[in-house]
Amino acid sequence: KNEVEQSPQNLTAQEGEFITINCSYSVGISALHWLQQHPGGGIVSLFMLSSGKKKHGRLIATINIQEKHSSLHITASHPRDSAVYICAVLTNAGGTSYGKLTFGQGTILTVHP
Amino acid sequence: NAGVTQTPKFRILKIGQSMTLQCAQDMNHNYMYWYRQDPGMGLKLIYYSVGAGITDKGEVPNGYNVSRSTTEDFPLRLELAAPSQTSVYFCASSLSGINYNEQFFGPGTRLTVL
């Protein structure tokens, strides 16, 4: 079983729909990241959160530390939101100064006009 | 600022050939990372560096080598290319390690080994 599991693996939506992508993890973490990978391949960081909820424009990320679960929501989805969304958890790698990132396999989102 | 740059964007190698993937950042970040991304899989850490002169292995280091002679540059070397190294390679950097807020990624290098 992977340490980080995302669902669904593929998601198709119509423009304007509310989107939810889920991330579950099995290890203790210090933070969780949501990343976006554009169709051209570039990766950008969307959020880093360790508790509660963060909002940026139409994107909302929530995390429940007790349940080891995070969700990424997109309100009023648009075709330009089509991308791969990646969840990654940050753990302390055995007492070193390096924080290890473990990535989910990604969720492929396609939003049709 | 250019951020994190990688060269080349694409490369085809024959089995047994060698090459170096270049990575540079101009943000004065201490931490730099090399990942590989295989289809349907999450990114896997190959090597990382916490500063000039200091490197360490990640999850999948076999077949690769790195060096960090300056803060800006973190090249990844493939000595004897194998088909299993066909992948997309991403370099990334961050200001610090455990408590960083964001990791900045380069555009990626798509490598095919035939």
Side-chain angles (χ1 to χ4, degrees):
Chain A
K1 189 179 190 302
N2 292 333
E3 290 182 340
V4 182
E5 294 276 354
Q6 287 186 236
S7 63
Q9 290 190 336
N10 286 278
L11 182 56
T12 301
Q14 290 298 126
E15 184 172 356
E17 286 184 358
F18 181 84
I19 304 288
T20 296
I21 298 170
N22 297 299
C23 176
S24 296
Y25 53 92
S26 57
V27 295
I29 69 170
S30 55
L32 183 143
H33 291 252
W34 281 102
L35 307 163
Q36 181 192 53
Q37 185 168 22
H38 299 295
I43 299 173
V44 296
S45 179
L46 297 175
F47 295 103
M48 187 199 78
L49 63 165
S50 53
S51 65
K53 175 179 170 178
K54 285 191 175 180
K55 184 176 190 288
H56 181 69
R58 296 180 294 106
L59 300 177
I60 303 165
T62 63
I63 188 168
N64 185 318
I65 295 293
Q66 287 73 29
E67 294 186 3
K68 292 187 166 62
H69 181 269
S70 175
S71 292
L72 177 68
H73 305 287
I74 305 175
T75 62
S77 60
H78 189 276
R80 65 174 175 265
D81 297 325
S82 298
V84 178
Y85 292 85
I86 301 169
C87 167
V89 298
L90 180 65
T91 56
N92 183 355
T96 68
S97 61
Y98 162 64
K100 176 188 173 187
L101 268 182
T102 302
F103 295 82
Q105 79 277 25
T107 294
I108 302 171
L109 172 65
T110 304
V111 182
H112 293 295
Chain B
N1 288 348
V4 180
T5 57
Q6 289 183 239
T7 56
K9 285 189 169 53
F10 305 93
R11 184 73 185 269
I12 298 174
L13 282 181
K14 293 183 180 177
I15 294 171
Q17 285 186 319
S18 301
M19 78 164 293
T20 298
L21 282 67
Q22 301 291 345
C23 173
Q25 53 90 12
D26 60 359
M27 297 173 283
N28 205 30
H29 284 173
N30 291 320
Y31 287 70
M32 295 188 74
Y33 315 84
W34 274 106
Y35 296 98
R36 59 177 287 171
Q37 185 180 40
D38 299 318
M41 306 288 288
L43 284 93
K44 298 288 187 187
L45 181 67
I46 305 171
Y47 270 95
Y48 68 97
S49 170
V50 303
I54 307 170
T55 62
D56 208 347
K57 296 177 181 178
E59 298 173 76
V60 290
N62 291 344
Y64 307 95
N65 277 300
V66 294
S67 59
R68 185 98 181 267
S69 56
T70 66
T71 299
E72 294 77 21
D73 299 298
F74 190 40
L76 177 72
R77 178 87 179 155
L78 283 71
E79 290 294 347
L80 290 169
S84 60
Q85 293 177 304
T86 295
S87 189
V88 181
Y89 292 84
F90 288 95
C91 178
S93 73
S94 63
L95 186 59
S96 62
I98 288 177
N99 296 315
Y100 64 69
N101 287 314
E102 185 173 359
Q103 198 165 85
F104 294 83
F105 287 81
T109 295
R110 186 174 295 273
L111 175 67
T112 302
V113 181
L114 300 174

